[in-house]
Amino acid sequence: ENDNKFAYADDTNLDQWDKRAKKARGNKRPILQWNRIPVYTQRVANDSRKNKPAIKISRGDEAATKHTAEYLQARIRHIEYESNLDTARDTTGKQQVSTGRAFLRVTTEWIPGTQKQRICVDPIPNQFSVVGDPAAWKYDRSDADFQFVIKLISKDEHTRKYGKEKTETALDFADDNPSNGWIGVGDDGEMIQVADYWFRKYEDQTVPAEGNQPARKEKVPVVYSCVIDGAQVLKPVEKWLGSTIPIPPVWGEEAVVDGQRRTFSLIRTSKTPQRDLNLAISTLAELVGQMPKSPYLIPQGGVAAAHEQDWANAHNNPVAYLIYQM
């Protein structure tokens, strides 16, 4: 999140300045930012737009047919088109460059006026709203056993989606046992935080006998989801068709540092040079402002009384000529 603030800093928030350095300059010395980071992040994002990744279906074994592969390829392209996947990829590409993390959401929705559903792939605008299983180590986090996607909604939207009774339950819970950061959020306490909660359970499955191999039992992951608000379950638990949580990540560079896995954005190592640039232009502005302005040497009474103000403002207002007394 700090990388994101740094990448999109402007003259209002001055997030590229170290707090101690900014405090040391006080209110009288220039504190300027010439943010060059977006130039390079946008260049990488534009390159990713030119070289879009694509899913390619091929026959996996002799039992598969070319016709089946072509059918699946066409279905995937149709899903990408309906989901406007190009926009989702552009969004995650920018997030990956500036913060080192981004997420997509695979879900289904009802087709209006029908009893059919379609698959959707959407970006998650706030990449910091996703809280995942810290024990998951695979790059795509397919081994994650739980995940939250958090968002804020108004009390009116909470009532509209989940009913007045559940909203009152949430507010009563906040009064009796405050749910810090969930209920009554915002400047006026008008927001409620809700979360899509995804989790996996491991259920027994019998693998049938095959050839000389006898039947055996194994544990298989089954994915479920619900919606919570810190006080209650708002939306009943539903079973998902897949075996992995459908929130695939898009990471920046990964590395293990001090035994902990970390992700890095493109700008992580550019902070010090950018701070040096900000210091340089601030110092230059300060030096220019401190340059001595040599006054005109005029004998007493040399300036005509009606034109004294013209001479006083000569360093600020360019005029064609100045009048003085002989």
Side-chain angles (χ1 to χ4, degrees), residues 88-107:
R89 285 171 176 157
D90 292 344
T91 301
T92 54
K94 289 180 180 179
Q95 293 173 339
Q96 180 188 29
V97 171
S98 61
T99 67
R101 57 181 287 159
F103 297 90
L104 293 167
R105 185 202 305 266
V106 181
T107 185

Side-chain angles (χ1 to χ4, degrees), residues 1-54:
E1 190 169 0
N2 290 333
D3 288 358
N4 195 50
K5 289 182 179 180
F6 194 94
Y8 296 104
D10 55 29
D11 292 336
T12 302
N13 50 46
L14 299 175
D15 281 325
Q16 291 183 345
W17 277 83
D18 179 77
K19 292 182 179 180
R20 291 175 296 179
K22 187 164 56 175
K23 184 178 180 180
R25 296 185 74 85
N27 297 324
K28 296 183 178 181
R29 302 182 65 186
I31 304 177
L32 306 179
Q33 283 183 169
W34 185 19
N35 190 359
R36 303 293 294 161
I37 298 295
V39 174
Y40 303 103
T41 56
Q42 193 62 46
R43 184 180 300 173
V44 176
N46 289 339
D47 288 342
S48 67
R49 289 193 182 100
K50 296 177 183 177
N51 303 283
K52 297 182 183 298

Side-chain angles (χ1 to χ4, degrees), residues 106-107 141-148 196-203 219-226 236-248:
V106 181
T107 185
R141 303 306 190 263
S142 59
D143 56 337
D145 285 334
F146 68 86
Q147 203 157 30
F148 297 88
D196 295 333
Y197 175 36
W198 295 84
F199 59 94
R200 295 201 303 182
K201 292 182 178 180
Y202 290 84
E203 301 178 359
K219 295 283 188 179
V220 294
V222 180
V223 178
Y224 297 90
S225 70
C226 63
V237 175
E238 295 180 349
K239 186 177 180 180
W240 176 250
L241 295 175
S243 60
T244 60
I245 295 174
I247 305 176

